[in-house]
Amino acid sequence: MKKSSLLKVPISMSFGVSLHNSTRKANKSLEIADQHLYQAKNSGKNQVHFECGKVMKNHGFTLKAVSRS
């Protein structure tokens, strides 16, 4: 694939993260992660919200297209 044929498309990602251990049912951990995902989405783009209260915002990640031959 020629470099000139690649399109640059802006992508944003938000994540919600919960902690899981044996004292909590998996569905509860997923529910908490989902709540934090919506907090991240409602707070802006490119954020990660963790159950412990930490928030990561706007890290400058760059995704590059990879050609498979």
Side-chain angles (χ1 to χ4, degrees):
M1 181 179 291
K2 293 181 182 180
K3 188 172 183 176
S4 61
S5 66
L6 297 177
L7 297 175
K8 291 185 179 182
V9 179
I11 297 174
S12 66
M13 293 183 227
S14 296
F15 297 91
V17 179
S18 70
L19 306 174
H20 181 72
N21 60 40
S22 61
T23 63
R24 181 190 286 169
K25 293 187 177 189
N27 284 347
K28 184 63 176 176
S29 291
L30 291 173
E31 180 183 315
I32 291 169
D34 192 52
Q35 291 170 357
H36 289 284
L37 170 61
Y38 281 99
Q39 288 177 6
K41 290 172 103 176
N42 290 330
S43 298
K45 296 179 180 180
N46 302 319
Q47 296 192 20
V48 182
H49 282 230
F50 295 87
E51 178 180 0
C52 64
K54 184 173 181 177
V55 176
M56 295 172 60
K57 296 182 180 183
N58 299 319
H59 287 273
F61 296 111
T62 303
L63 300 175
K64 296 184 179 182
V66 176
S67 174
R68 295 184 186 204
S69 300

